[in-house]
Amino acid sequence: MRGELAYREAVARADLARAQFLTTAEEAKQRVAPARLKQDLKDRISGAALDGVARAAAQAQQRPVAIGAAAGAFVLFLARRPLTALFRRLFVRFRNPNPDYSESDDG
């Protein structure tokens, strides 16, 4: 009798362990699902972006002149080609001794 009771307890423990294993395996499967991984990545990126914006805003409040100078330099860098063309046209216009000739062909 004692052996049969021990066998039944062992079978019950094995069934419980199997159920726990299957539950854990299902949870792991859901955790590595592509949709879940994609959503986790989106959440992480949006959290990092919001944190970066908040940090930049705090830095801008602490150092407004430095941030303004950096922003101005960045804008000038982006507009360097149009500004160069403008200054070339102005240079030609100021240096042109004969105003009867225009710098373009349209008259």
Side-chain angles (χ1 to χ4, degrees):
M1 249 353 214
R2 199 164 213 338
E4 189 176 322
L5 185 61
Y7 173 75
R8 286 185 184 174
E9 287 177 0
V11 169
R13 281 194 311 266
D15 288 340
L16 181 63
R18 185 181 303 117
Q20 288 176 346
F21 173 74
L22 291 176
T23 303
T24 305
E26 186 63 33
E27 288 174 1
K29 184 178 175 183
Q30 289 175 357
R31 219 177 301 145
V32 296
R36 171 101 183 251
L37 293 174
K38 188 166 82 171
Q39 186 61 39
D40 288 346
L41 183 64
K42 283 181 183 178
D43 293 343
R44 222 179 256 167
I45 289 173
S46 65
L50 291 176
D51 186 39
V53 168
R55 189 177 311 133
Q59 290 291 328
Q61 288 178 351
Q62 290 177 356
R63 300 181 186 105
V65 174
I67 298 297
F74 184 67
V75 168
L76 287 175
F77 174 75
L78 290 179
R80 68 187 182 276
R81 287 190 176 142
L83 288 174
T84 302
L86 172 69
F87 287 128
R88 281 184 186 159
R89 280 194 306 259
L90 289 175
F91 180 76
V92 168
R93 188 171 289 158
F94 288 138
R95 295 276 310 216
N96 190 2
N98 192 354
D100 294 335
Y101 296 111
S102 70
E103 57 188 78
S104 62
D105 290 341
D106 60 358

XYZ file of all heavy atoms in Angstrom:
825
model
N 0.794 -1.185 0.000
C 0.000 0.000 0.000
C 0.852 1.272 0.000
O 0.483 2.244 -0.625
C -0.817 -0.013 1.285
C -2.296 -0.195 1.251
S -3.149 -0.228 -0.224
C -4.592 0.512 0.329
N 1.904 1.199 0.762
C 2.746 2.379 0.881
C 3.350 2.751 -0.472
O 3.447 3.920 -0.803
C 3.838 2.096 1.908
C 4.455 3.356 2.434
C 5.210 3.015 3.684
N 5.374 3.826 4.793
C 5.285 5.112 4.907
N 4.909 5.818 3.921
N 5.529 5.711 6.023
N 3.760 1.770 -1.256
C 4.343 2.023 -2.574
C 3.333 2.630 -3.525
O 3.660 3.511 -4.330
N 2.102 2.150 -3.442
C 1.059 2.684 -4.314
C 0.753 4.138 -3.966
O 0.553 4.970 -4.858
C -0.210 1.830 -4.164
C -1.265 2.174 -5.171
C -2.462 1.250 -5.049
O -2.299 0.049 -4.799
O -3.577 1.790 -5.216
N 0.724 4.476 -2.701
C 0.488 5.850 -2.249
C 1.628 6.770 -2.692
O 1.393 7.880 -3.188
C 0.340 5.882 -0.721
C -0.020 7.241 -0.123
C -1.348 7.730 -0.645
C -0.034 7.143 1.393
N 2.844 6.293 -2.575
C 4.003 7.080 -3.021
C 3.953 7.287 -4.532
O 4.282 8.365 -5.038
C 5.288 6.381 -2.612
N 3.523 6.256 -5.267
C 3.409 6.365 -6.717
C 2.364 7.417 -7.091
O 2.608 8.250 -7.968
C 3.053 5.006 -7.322
C 2.764 5.074 -8.807
C 3.799 5.210 -9.723
C 1.455 4.999 -9.270
C 3.526 5.282 -11.069
C 1.179 5.070 -10.616
C 2.214 5.213 -11.527
O 1.939 5.282 -12.855
N 1.215 7.387 -6.442
C 0.155 8.360 -6.740
C 0.611 9.782 -6.408
O 0.305 10.734 -7.136
C -1.104 7.997 -5.968
C -1.807 6.807 -6.551
C -3.093 6.542 -5.865
N -3.686 5.323 -6.401
C -4.764 4.773 -5.931
N -5.371 5.305 -4.891
N -5.239 3.669 -6.472
N 1.325 9.969 -5.313
C 1.844 11.293 -4.968
C 2.867 11.761 -6.011
O 2.892 12.925 -6.396
C 2.476 11.267 -3.584
C 1.472 11.186 -2.459
C 2.141 11.085 -1.085
O 3.397 11.072 -1.028
O 1.407 11.029 -0.095
N 3.689 10.840 -6.472
C 4.683 11.184 -7.495
C 4.007 11.570 -8.803
O 4.409 12.528 -9.471
C 5.646 10.025 -7.709
N 2.955 10.850 -9.176
C 2.197 11.165 -10.389
C 1.531 12.535 -10.244
O 1.526 13.350 -11.180
C 1.160 10.060 -10.692
C 0.190 10.503 -11.775
C 1.862 8.778 -11.104
N 0.977 12.830 -9.068
C 0.338 14.124 -8.834
C 1.364 15.258 -8.922
O 1.094 16.306 -9.527
C -0.357 14.134 -7.473
N 2.554 15.052 -8.325
C 3.609 16.071 -8.409
C 4.070 16.262 -9.856
O 4.323 17.384 -10.302
C 4.795 15.673 -7.530
C 4.575 15.947 -6.056
C 5.876 15.869 -5.267
N 6.652 14.663 -5.537
C 6.589 13.539 -4.813
N 5.765 13.474 -3.768
N 7.318 12.496 -5.125
N 4.154 15.158 -10.595
C 4.567 15.242 -11.995
C 3.531 15.995 -12.822
O 3.871 16.819 -13.675
C 4.792 13.846 -12.565
N 2.245 15.727 -12.569
C 1.182 16.443 -13.277
C 1.211 17.930 -12.949
O 1.041 18.786 -13.834
C -0.190 15.854 -12.933
C -0.414 14.483 -13.563
O 0.303 14.163 -14.536
O -1.301 13.753 -13.082
N 1.425 18.264 -11.706
C 1.513 19.661 -11.285
C 2.724 20.344 -11.938
O 2.614 21.464 -12.452
C 1.604 19.765 -9.758
C 1.684 21.180 -9.188
C 0.424 21.966 -9.518
C 1.912 21.134 -7.692
N 3.851 19.648 -11.936
C 5.056 20.204 -12.556
C 4.857 20.388 -14.058
O 5.282 21.394 -14.632
C 6.260 19.310 -12.284
N 4.195 19.431 -14.704
C 3.914 19.537 -16.135
C 3.006 20.721 -16.417
O 3.230 21.498 -17.363
C 3.273 18.248 -16.656
C 3.075 18.251 -18.167
C 2.425 16.981 -18.704
N 3.177 15.788 -18.342
C 2.719 14.802 -17.562
N 1.502 14.876 -17.059
N 3.451 13.759 -17.292
N 1.971 20.913 -15.605
C 1.061 22.042 -15.784
C 1.794 23.371 -15.596
O 1.591 24.318 -16.371
C -0.110 21.928 -14.813
N 2.645 23.453 -14.576
C 3.418 24.674 -14.359
C 4.368 24.930 -15.529
O 4.532 26.061 -15.976
C 4.206 24.578 -13.051
C 3.341 24.681 -11.814
C 4.149 24.477 -10.533
O 5.278 24.006 -10.570
N 3.545 24.835 -9.408
N 4.992 23.876 -16.040
C 5.901 24.018 -17.168
C 5.155 24.517 -18.402
O 5.631 25.412 -19.102
C 6.588 22.683 -17.470
C 7.401 22.714 -18.727
C 8.614 23.371 -18.759
C 6.941 22.093 -19.881
C 9.359 23.412 -19.924
C 7.682 22.132 -21.038
C 8.898 22.793 -21.065
N 3.985 23.933 -18.679
C 3.221 24.358 -19.847
C 2.754 25.805 -19.705
O 2.756 26.569 -20.684
C 2.034 23.417 -20.069
C 2.400 21.996 -20.515
C 1.146 21.126 -20.598
C 3.129 22.029 -21.841
N 2.367 26.200 -18.491
C 1.966 27.587 -18.258
C 3.145 28.535 -18.478
O 3.013 29.567 -19.139
C 1.431 27.757 -16.823
O 0.346 26.849 -16.630
C 0.973 29.168 -16.566
N 4.290 28.163 -17.953
C 5.494 28.986 -18.123
C 5.903 29.045 -19.586
O 6.290 30.110 -20.083
C 6.647 28.418 -17.274
O 6.221 28.321 -15.916
C 7.868 29.293 -17.355
N 5.805 27.940 -20.289
C 6.156 27.915 -21.709
C 5.211 28.805 -22.512
O 5.642 29.524 -23.426
C 6.119 26.484 -22.233
N 3.932 28.789 -22.183
C 2.951 29.638 -22.881
C 3.230 31.114 -22.610
O 3.151 31.946 -23.522
C 1.528 29.263 -22.445
C 0.450 29.972 -23.215
C 0.450 29.624 -24.697
O 0.795 28.496 -25.059
O 0.088 30.520 -25.494
N 3.575 31.447 -21.369
C 3.916 32.831 -21.041
C 5.163 33.279 -21.798
O 5.224 34.399 -22.303
C 4.142 32.984 -19.538
C 2.879 32.901 -18.717
C 3.163 32.909 -17.216
O 4.350 32.999 -16.828
O 2.203 32.842 -16.442
N 6.159 32.405 -21.878
C 7.382 32.739 -22.612
C 7.088 32.914 -24.095
O 7.636 33.805 -24.749
C 8.434 31.663 -22.401
N 6.213 32.088 -24.626
C 5.836 32.187 -26.028
C 5.148 33.513 -26.316
O 5.407 34.150 -27.330
C 4.917 31.021 -26.385
C 4.528 30.944 -27.829
C 3.649 29.730 -28.063
C 3.131 29.676 -29.476
N 2.230 28.552 -29.690
N 4.281 33.940 -25.417
C 3.602 35.225 -25.585
C 4.578 36.387 -25.441
O 4.435 37.413 -26.083
C 2.467 35.365 -24.579
C 1.297 34.460 -24.865
C 0.240 34.525 -23.782
O 0.406 35.213 -22.779
N -0.851 33.805 -23.987
N 5.576 36.227 -24.574
C 6.544 37.296 -24.335
C 7.438 37.545 -25.547
O 7.864 38.660 -25.784
C 7.415 36.947 -23.135
C 7.696 38.135 -22.277
C 8.500 37.799 -21.051
N 7.840 36.825 -20.208
C 8.458 35.886 -19.515
N 9.766 35.796 -19.561
N 7.787 35.044 -18.768
N 7.731 36.511 -26.320
C 8.607 36.667 -27.471
C 7.830 36.720 -28.786
O 8.426 36.607 -29.857
C 9.678 35.550 -27.534
C 10.606 35.629 -26.357
C 9.047 34.191 -27.655
N 6.542 36.923 -28.723
C 5.744 37.066 -29.933
C 6.154 38.361 -30.648
O 6.438 39.367 -30.002
C 4.259 37.105 -29.589
N 6.218 38.355 -31.974
C 6.651 39.549 -32.705
C 5.814 40.790 -32.408
O 6.352 41.884 -32.278
C 6.514 39.134 -34.169
C 6.634 37.655 -34.159
C 6.021 37.220 -32.867
N 4.518 40.635 -32.289
C 3.665 41.796 -31.998
C 4.001 42.381 -30.630
O 4.065 43.608 -30.463
C 2.196 41.386 -32.054
N 4.235 41.523 -29.661
C 4.575 42.002 -28.316
C 5.941 42.672 -28.299
O 6.119 43.717 -27.677
C 4.553 40.818 -27.346
C 5.087 41.117 -25.973
C 3.973 41.345 -24.985
N 4.489 41.705 -23.689
C 4.459 40.933 -22.621
N 3.909 39.748 -22.688
N 4.933 41.350 -21.485
N 6.905 42.084 -28.994
C 8.237 42.685 -29.065
C 8.189 44.042 -29.758
O 8.851 44.996 -29.334
C 9.203 41.748 -29.787
C 9.541 40.450 -29.060
C 10.391 39.570 -29.950
C 10.235 40.725 -27.750
N 7.387 44.132 -30.826
C 7.256 45.396 -31.541
C 6.619 46.462 -30.659
O 7.076 47.604 -30.623
C 6.429 45.175 -32.811
C 6.393 46.373 -33.740
C 5.857 46.024 -35.108
C 4.361 46.027 -35.083
N 3.769 45.894 -36.425
N 5.596 46.089 -29.923
C 4.934 47.043 -29.027
C 5.873 47.480 -27.902
O 5.915 48.665 -27.549
C 3.660 46.425 -28.432
C 2.850 47.387 -27.607
C 2.365 48.571 -28.425
O 1.975 48.435 -29.572
N 2.416 49.743 -27.833
N 6.639 46.545 -27.359
C 7.609 46.906 -26.317
C 8.652 47.885 -26.850
O 9.025 48.836 -26.167
C 8.297 45.656 -25.768
C 7.381 44.819 -24.900
O 6.307 45.311 -24.505
O 7.752 43.649 -24.621
N 9.105 47.653 -28.075
C 10.088 48.545 -28.680
C 9.502 49.928 -28.913
O 10.153 50.939 -28.638
C 10.596 47.949 -29.991
C 11.683 48.740 -30.708
C 12.944 48.779 -29.846
C 11.984 48.119 -32.051
N 8.261 49.984 -29.392
C 7.607 51.274 -29.587
C 7.467 52.023 -28.267
O 7.713 53.231 -28.200
C 6.212 51.082 -30.195
C 6.204 50.776 -31.653
C 4.771 50.644 -32.143
C 4.678 50.270 -33.579
N 3.282 50.108 -34.025
N 7.067 51.314 -27.229
C 6.922 51.949 -25.912
C 8.259 52.477 -25.408
O 8.340 53.585 -24.865
C 6.340 50.959 -24.903
C 4.898 50.581 -25.214
O 4.248 51.310 -26.006
O 4.431 49.554 -24.683
N 9.305 51.696 -25.592
C 10.631 52.111 -25.134
C 11.123 53.341 -25.892
O 11.671 54.274 -25.313
C 11.606 50.960 -25.331
C 12.540 50.783 -24.169
C 13.470 49.632 -24.395
N 13.031 48.507 -23.589
C 13.458 47.289 -23.729
N 14.325 47.011 -24.668
N 13.028 46.331 -22.945
N 10.917 53.343 -27.210
C 11.371 54.472 -28.028
C 10.584 55.734 -27.692
O 11.156 56.812 -27.553
C 11.261 54.130 -29.527
C 12.322 53.104 -29.895
C 11.411 55.364 -30.395
C 12.201 52.568 -31.299
N 9.259 55.608 -27.560
C 8.468 56.793 -27.238
C 8.810 57.320 -25.845
O 8.873 58.533 -25.637
C 6.969 56.493 -27.348
O 6.594 55.544 -26.374
N 9.073 56.429 -24.915
C 9.484 56.870 -23.580
C 10.814 57.592 -23.611
O 10.986 58.628 -22.964
N 11.758 57.073 -24.392
C 13.065 57.718 -24.506
C 12.943 59.071 -25.200
O 13.612 60.037 -24.806
C 14.024 56.818 -25.267
N 12.093 59.154 -26.214
C 11.908 60.427 -26.917
C 11.289 61.468 -25.994
O 11.724 62.630 -25.972
C 11.041 60.228 -28.158
N 10.276 61.078 -25.249
C 9.645 62.027 -24.322
C 10.619 62.459 -23.237
O 10.643 63.628 -22.840
C 8.396 61.410 -23.708
C 7.225 61.198 -24.667
C 6.077 60.479 -23.966
C 6.748 62.522 -25.222
N 11.439 61.529 -22.782
C 12.446 61.868 -21.777
C 13.474 62.839 -22.354
O 13.888 63.793 -21.692
C 13.135 60.597 -21.284
C 14.085 60.866 -20.136
O 13.749 61.692 -19.267
O 15.162 60.238 -20.107
N 13.876 62.619 -23.591
C 14.826 63.518 -24.242
C 14.259 64.912 -24.445
O 14.956 65.906 -24.252
N 12.996 64.998 -24.819
C 12.351 66.301 -24.996
C 12.272 67.033 -23.662
O 12.548 68.238 -23.584
C 10.951 66.132 -25.628
C 10.156 67.409 -25.554
C 11.082 65.671 -27.067
N 11.918 66.314 -22.615
C 11.851 66.942 -21.288
C 13.226 67.418 -20.835
O 13.361 68.515 -20.277
C 11.264 65.963 -20.278
N 14.246 66.613 -21.098
C 15.603 67.011 -20.718
C 16.059 68.227 -21.523
O 16.693 69.134 -20.991
C 16.563 65.841 -20.940
C 17.933 66.109 -20.362
C 18.882 64.929 -20.498
N 18.285 63.681 -20.045
C 18.333 62.549 -20.728
N 18.949 62.491 -21.878
N 17.778 61.444 -20.251
N 15.740 68.268 -22.824
C 16.112 69.410 -23.661
C 15.392 70.676 -23.201
O 15.978 71.765 -23.188
C 15.796 69.116 -25.119
N 14.133 70.531 -22.820
C 13.390 71.693 -22.328
C 13.995 72.211 -21.027
O 14.115 73.432 -20.825
C 11.923 71.327 -22.126
N 14.402 71.319 -20.160
C 15.027 71.741 -18.904
C 16.359 72.434 -19.178
O 16.676 73.463 -18.558
C 15.236 70.536 -17.986
N 17.144 71.913 -20.105
C 18.416 72.548 -20.460
C 18.185 73.916 -21.091
O 18.943 74.856 -20.843
C 19.207 71.661 -21.427
C 19.758 70.414 -20.816
C 20.863 70.705 -19.835
O 21.613 71.659 -19.989
N 20.966 69.883 -18.813
N 17.147 74.026 -21.917
C 16.843 75.315 -22.550
C 16.440 76.357 -21.510
O 16.760 77.530 -21.659
C 15.732 75.137 -23.584
N 15.750 75.949 -20.474
C 15.385 76.889 -19.423
C 16.598 77.297 -18.603
O 16.674 78.427 -18.131
C 14.326 76.280 -18.513
C 12.973 76.189 -19.164
C 11.936 75.532 -18.263
O 12.281 75.004 -17.220
N 10.682 75.585 -18.677
N 17.556 76.414 -18.453
C 18.749 76.737 -17.678
C 19.726 77.599 -18.471
O 20.376 78.471 -17.912
C 19.464 75.456 -17.232
C 18.709 74.687 -16.178
C 19.415 73.382 -15.819
O 20.430 73.036 -16.412
N 18.860 72.665 -14.854
N 19.846 77.365 -19.764
C 20.816 78.081 -20.596
C 20.154 78.593 -21.873
O 20.423 78.101 -22.967
C 21.952 77.142 -20.971
C 22.694 76.587 -19.789
C 23.817 75.694 -20.269
N 24.450 75.050 -19.145
C 24.297 73.786 -18.814
N 23.525 73.025 -19.550
N 24.911 73.279 -17.779
N 19.311 79.604 -21.789
C 18.585 80.060 -22.984
C 19.491 80.694 -24.040
O 19.256 80.529 -25.233
C 17.578 81.065 -22.436
C 18.119 81.490 -21.125
C 18.912 80.352 -20.603
N 20.539 81.396 -23.637
C 21.414 82.045 -24.610
C 22.198 80.998 -25.403
O 22.312 81.083 -26.630
C 22.364 83.034 -23.894
C 23.374 83.615 -24.868
C 21.563 84.137 -23.230
N 22.726 80.012 -24.719
C 23.493 78.974 -25.408
C 22.607 78.177 -26.362
O 23.015 77.870 -27.484
C 24.138 78.047 -24.389
N 21.405 77.870 -25.936
C 20.486 77.115 -26.802
C 20.087 77.968 -27.999
O 20.014 77.478 -29.131
C 19.239 76.661 -26.007
C 19.652 75.728 -24.868
C 18.222 75.996 -26.910
C 20.289 74.437 -25.307
N 19.846 79.250 -27.780
C 19.509 80.148 -28.891
C 20.654 80.266 -29.887
O 20.436 80.275 -31.102
N 21.882 80.357 -29.389
C 23.044 80.444 -30.279
C 23.204 79.151 -31.067
O 23.500 79.178 -32.277
C 24.300 80.738 -29.466
N 23.027 78.025 -30.418
C 23.137 76.745 -31.115
C 22.045 76.596 -32.166
O 22.297 76.130 -33.283
C 23.086 75.591 -30.118
N 20.844 77.004 -31.832
C 19.743 76.919 -32.798
C 19.992 77.850 -33.978
O 19.744 77.489 -35.133
C 18.422 77.251 -32.114
N 20.487 79.047 -33.702
C 20.807 79.974 -34.783
C 21.890 79.436 -35.698
O 21.802 79.555 -36.930
N 22.922 78.840 -35.114
C 23.994 78.257 -35.925
C 23.457 77.104 -36.774
O 23.848 76.960 -37.946
C 25.120 77.773 -35.019
N 22.558 76.327 -36.216
C 21.978 75.214 -36.967
C 21.138 75.726 -38.137
O 21.202 75.190 -39.245
C 21.148 74.332 -36.037
C 20.587 73.115 -36.696
C 21.419 72.103 -37.141
C 19.224 72.984 -36.884
C 20.912 70.983 -37.757
C 18.700 71.864 -37.504
C 19.540 70.854 -37.946
N 20.363 76.781 -37.910
C 19.545 77.363 -38.979
C 20.437 77.928 -40.073
O 20.174 77.758 -41.265
C 18.588 78.431 -38.404
C 17.950 79.250 -39.509
C 17.518 77.769 -37.561
N 21.505 78.619 -39.684
C 22.438 79.134 -40.688
C 23.090 77.999 -41.467
O 23.313 78.118 -42.680
C 23.504 80.002 -40.016
C 23.029 81.370 -39.536
C 24.146 82.071 -38.785
C 22.547 82.206 -40.699
N 23.399 76.911 -40.802
C 23.971 75.764 -41.492
C 22.980 75.199 -42.507
O 23.363 74.861 -43.637
C 24.367 74.681 -40.487
C 24.832 73.410 -41.125
C 26.086 73.335 -41.708
C 24.009 72.291 -41.160
C 26.523 72.160 -42.305
C 24.433 71.124 -41.759
C 25.695 71.060 -42.330
N 21.715 75.102 -42.125
C 20.715 74.568 -43.056
C 20.482 75.509 -44.232
O 20.201 75.063 -45.347
C 19.401 74.309 -42.322
C 19.398 73.157 -41.330
C 18.032 73.058 -40.668
C 19.747 71.846 -42.013
N 20.595 76.819 -44.004
C 20.312 77.799 -45.048
C 21.587 78.292 -45.731
O 21.592 79.355 -46.353
C 19.549 78.971 -44.442
N 22.662 77.548 -45.674
C 23.934 78.047 -46.199
C 23.917 78.243 -47.709
O 24.473 79.207 -48.214
C 25.073 77.126 -45.774
C 25.059 75.760 -46.391
C 26.136 74.856 -45.786
N 26.161 73.553 -46.390
C 25.390 72.543 -46.041
N 24.521 72.716 -45.067
N 25.466 71.384 -46.646
N 23.270 77.380 -48.459
C 23.256 77.531 -49.916
C 22.417 78.724 -50.369
O 22.887 79.509 -51.197
C 22.786 76.243 -50.564
C 23.842 75.168 -50.492
C 23.500 73.974 -51.326
N 24.583 73.018 -51.301
C 24.422 71.716 -51.267
N 23.217 71.215 -51.280
N 25.465 70.924 -51.241
N 21.203 78.892 -49.867
C 20.448 80.096 -50.266
C 21.143 81.382 -49.829
O 21.140 82.373 -50.560
C 19.100 79.935 -49.570
C 18.962 78.498 -49.289
C 20.346 77.991 -49.100
N 21.753 81.376 -48.658
C 22.461 82.567 -48.199
C 23.684 82.845 -49.066
O 23.971 84.009 -49.391
C 22.879 82.413 -46.739
C 21.747 82.479 -45.717
C 22.263 82.174 -44.325
C 21.075 83.837 -45.751
N 24.384 81.810 -49.459
C 25.540 81.990 -50.335
C 25.110 82.573 -51.675
O 25.742 83.496 -52.194
C 26.258 80.638 -50.553
O 26.648 80.121 -49.287
C 27.473 80.797 -51.440
N 24.025 82.068 -52.236
C 23.525 82.597 -53.506
C 23.099 84.057 -53.350
O 23.370 84.890 -54.228
C 22.358 81.753 -54.003
N 22.457 84.396 -52.254
C 22.040 85.776 -52.006
C 23.244 86.702 -51.921
O 23.274 87.775 -52.551
C 21.236 85.855 -50.708
C 20.900 87.266 -50.217
C 19.902 87.920 -51.161
C 20.382 87.231 -48.805
N 24.269 86.307 -51.165
C 25.442 87.161 -51.029
C 26.224 87.276 -52.343
O 26.802 88.326 -52.637
C 26.345 86.663 -49.896
C 25.774 86.941 -48.538
C 25.655 85.934 -47.610
C 25.356 88.220 -48.195
C 25.126 86.180 -46.355
C 24.832 88.487 -46.946
C 24.712 87.466 -46.023
N 26.223 86.248 -53.154
C 26.868 86.353 -54.462
C 26.144 87.361 -55.346
O 26.774 88.162 -56.042
C 26.894 84.985 -55.144
C 27.976 84.097 -54.645
C 28.024 82.800 -55.423
N 28.997 81.909 -54.827
C 29.015 80.612 -54.981
N 28.092 80.030 -55.740
N 29.925 79.879 -54.398
N 24.810 87.299 -55.338
C 24.049 88.254 -56.138
C 24.278 89.677 -55.648
O 24.451 90.606 -56.434
C 22.557 87.918 -56.085
C 22.161 86.791 -57.003
C 20.651 86.737 -57.155
N 19.983 86.657 -55.865
C 19.503 85.552 -55.328
N 19.612 84.417 -55.979
N 18.918 85.573 -54.156
N 24.300 89.866 -54.334
C 24.539 91.204 -53.784
C 25.948 91.684 -54.120
O 26.145 92.867 -54.443
C 24.327 91.205 -52.272
C 22.880 91.061 -51.802
C 22.824 90.960 -50.289
C 22.043 92.230 -52.290
N 26.923 90.810 -54.053
C 28.296 91.169 -54.375
C 28.396 91.619 -55.825
O 29.020 92.636 -56.128
C 29.230 89.980 -54.106
C 30.659 90.261 -54.421
C 31.425 91.043 -53.567
C 31.237 89.760 -55.575
C 32.751 91.305 -53.857
C 32.556 90.019 -55.866
C 33.316 90.802 -55.008
N 27.772 90.872 -56.732
C 27.795 91.234 -58.144
C 27.078 92.555 -58.352
O 27.543 93.421 -59.089
C 27.164 90.113 -59.001
C 26.910 90.583 -60.420
C 28.052 88.892 -58.998
N 25.975 92.750 -57.670
C 25.196 93.969 -57.840
C 25.996 95.183 -57.333
O 25.990 96.242 -57.974
C 23.881 93.864 -57.089
C 22.941 95.021 -57.395
C 21.579 94.786 -56.825
N 20.930 93.719 -57.592
C 19.938 92.984 -57.151
N 19.452 93.186 -55.952
N 19.413 92.056 -57.897
N 26.696 95.060 -56.235
C 27.459 96.183 -55.697
C 28.739 96.436 -56.493
O 29.195 97.568 -56.597
C 27.814 95.951 -54.228
C 26.637 96.083 -53.315
C 26.457 95.181 -52.282
C 25.708 97.087 -53.469
C 25.379 95.278 -51.433
C 24.619 97.207 -52.627
C 24.454 96.295 -51.602
N 29.324 95.391 -57.027
C 30.573 95.538 -57.751
C 30.357 95.876 -59.229
O 31.309 96.241 -59.917
C 31.369 94.232 -57.667
C 31.826 93.846 -56.304
C 33.078 94.527 -55.959
N 34.035 94.349 -57.051
C 35.313 94.189 -56.907
N 35.820 94.167 -55.727
N 36.100 94.049 -57.942
N 29.149 95.747 -59.713
C 28.861 95.983 -61.125
C 28.896 97.491 -61.398
O 28.007 98.225 -60.968
C 27.504 95.394 -61.477
C 27.259 95.395 -62.973
O 28.104 95.800 -63.751
N 26.084 94.946 -63.364
N 29.888 97.962 -62.124
C 29.962 99.407 -62.372
C 28.951 99.880 -63.416
O 28.616 101.060 -63.461
C 31.392 99.605 -62.879
C 31.769 98.293 -63.467
C 31.017 97.258 -62.674
N 28.457 98.981 -64.218
C 27.532 99.364 -65.267
C 26.161 98.777 -64.940
O 25.887 97.627 -65.239
C 28.044 98.840 -66.612
C 27.292 99.458 -67.758
O 26.328 100.186 -67.561
N 27.743 99.172 -68.970
N 25.241 99.547 -64.377
C 23.934 99.007 -63.998
C 23.024 98.707 -65.183
O 21.954 98.147 -65.021
C 23.340 100.087 -63.113
C 24.045 101.324 -63.464
C 25.397 100.934 -63.976
N 23.435 99.112 -66.412
C 22.587 98.843 -67.577
C 22.557 97.357 -67.908
O 21.596 96.867 -68.491
C 23.093 99.623 -68.804
C 22.940 101.108 -68.591
O 22.068 101.502 -67.798
O 23.696 101.868 -69.219
N 23.613 96.652 -67.550
C 23.658 95.211 -67.779
C 23.147 94.513 -66.514
O 23.663 94.726 -65.437
C 25.081 94.753 -68.087
C 25.638 95.328 -69.345
C 26.673 96.255 -69.295
C 25.120 94.961 -70.576
C 27.180 96.808 -70.452
C 25.629 95.520 -71.744
C 26.655 96.437 -71.670
O 27.175 96.967 -72.805
N 22.149 93.706 -66.729
C 21.633 92.985 -65.571
C 22.418 91.689 -65.383
O 23.116 91.223 -66.292
C 20.155 92.680 -65.717
O 19.960 91.718 -66.710
N 22.272 91.093 -64.224
C 22.984 89.849 -63.964
C 22.250 88.633 -64.487
O 22.739 87.525 -64.421
C 23.234 89.700 -62.461
C 21.963 89.741 -61.671
C 22.244 89.792 -60.188
O 22.591 90.854 -59.685
O 22.107 88.737 -59.566
N 21.032 88.821 -65.014
C 20.304 87.707 -65.604
C 19.956 88.047 -67.038
O 20.098 89.178 -67.480
C 19.043 87.386 -64.801
O 18.188 88.498 -64.834
N 19.489 87.085 -67.793
C 19.204 87.285 -69.223
C 17.826 87.861 -69.486
O 17.490 88.128 -70.604
C 19.318 85.930 -69.933
C 20.744 85.443 -69.991
O 21.647 86.281 -69.828
O 20.944 84.231 -70.180
N 17.010 88.030 -68.451
C 15.637 88.472 -68.702
C 15.513 89.996 -68.776
O 14.423 90.530 -68.855
C 14.687 87.923 -67.632
C 15.065 88.379 -66.256
O 16.083 89.097 -66.117
O 14.339 88.025 -65.317
N 16.570 90.700 -68.780
C 16.505 92.098 -69.057
C 16.741 92.974 -67.911
O 16.840 94.080 -67.843
